[in-house]
Amino acid sequence: MPALNPTQTQGRIVWLGTVASRDLALAPAPREALRLTFAGPEGEDNGGLVRPSCSRVTAQYPLGTEIRNTRQLSILSAEEVAEIAAAMDLDALDPAWLGATMVVSGIPDFTHLPPSSRLQVEGGATIVVDMANRPCTLPARVIEGERPGHGRAFKAAAQGRRGVTAWVEREGFVRLGDAIRLHVPDQRAWRG
């Protein structure tokens, strides 16, 4: 019996980008296509098989501990980005301002996908959802620079809408317009 079930839920890739150097800018440069490797998107500064631990995992490791990089990609929902923009009283938000690697449309309640779900692109490349991405102040600074007076509203507006972090399970290419199908784990929710 398969441990992951393909669903009928299918979306489309509507935006792609990579950050060449985090030291120079948070905002990724838009791309038409990305080559996904086991180390993440080629040319992505946030890629790599491992990364130093950050404040998100201090309950598990001291800061800077080398751990598996499950944050190779930041994936957002076009619908949720529109909701964030509306909550901030903006017409739109550029995915680059949010540090996105990929934006998909057509997958409902995207930020709340179960951890370990797979997003499989029609060509075979497969991405594993790690967990929901929490809003932080880095995009707020970029937004403030682009739309003065609005950056401070980002963190609250993005709560529960910030997308997911993910890592590459199967290498391959992803392109704008590619279909992407959701596969979910075959297990009941933990009840503690």
Side-chain angles (χ1 to χ4, degrees):
M1 172 165 39
L4 292 159
N5 294 322
T7 70
Q8 294 303 311
T9 303
Q10 181 172 293
R12 290 247 172 241
I13 298 173
V14 297
W15 194 91
L16 294 166
T18 56
V19 174
S21 172
R22 285 184 63 148
D23 293 337
L24 298 177
L26 167 74
R31 303 279 187 238
E32 295 288 318
L34 295 177
R35 180 173 182 265
L36 300 182
T37 71
F38 292 126
E42 204 168 68
E44 171 59 52
D45 195 34
N46 293 310
L49 294 174
V50 296
R51 70 179 180 89
S53 64
C54 62
S55 61
R56 295 172 190 88
V57 292
T58 53
Q60 291 76 41
Y61 314 103
L63 283 174
T65 303
E66 188 174 76
I67 61 172
R68 173 75 165 103
N69 187 1
T70 58
R71 298 179 62 81
Q72 295 173 341
L73 298 100
S74 172
I75 308 174
L76 303 169
S77 155
E79 295 83 0
E80 290 175 345
V81 170
E83 290 173 12
I84 296 168
M88 295 175 66
D89 200 27
L90 292 170
D91 291 336
L93 282 170
D94 184 333
W97 302 347
L98 308 179
T101 313
M102 179 184 295
V103 179
V104 300
S105 68
I107 300 178
D109 201 21
F110 188 79
T111 294
H112 300 107
L113 291 177
S116 290
S117 293
R118 279 14 180 221
L119 297 168
Q120 192 166 53
V121 179
E122 57 191 299
T126 305
I127 302 161
V128 179
V129 171
D130 180 47
M131 65 177 71
N133 197 5
R134 290 186 173 176
C136 66
T137 59
L138 294 177
R141 292 182 207 142
V142 176
I143 294 165
E144 187 61 29
E146 297 291 335
R147 297 291 185 271
H150 290 88
R152 191 173 291 187
F154 172 73
K155 200 168 177 182
Q159 193 65 41
R161 300 177 179 134
R162 183 67 170 86
V164 299
T165 57
W167 52 275
V168 177
E169 180 173 61
R170 182 178 178 203
E171 295 182 315
F173 284 89
V174 295
R175 294 170 180 80
L176 291 178
D178 278 354
I180 191 162
R181 181 170 302 278
L182 175 64
H183 299 245
V184 295
D186 180 27
Q187 68 186 54
R188 71 172 181 85
W190 183 71
R191 293 190 179 98

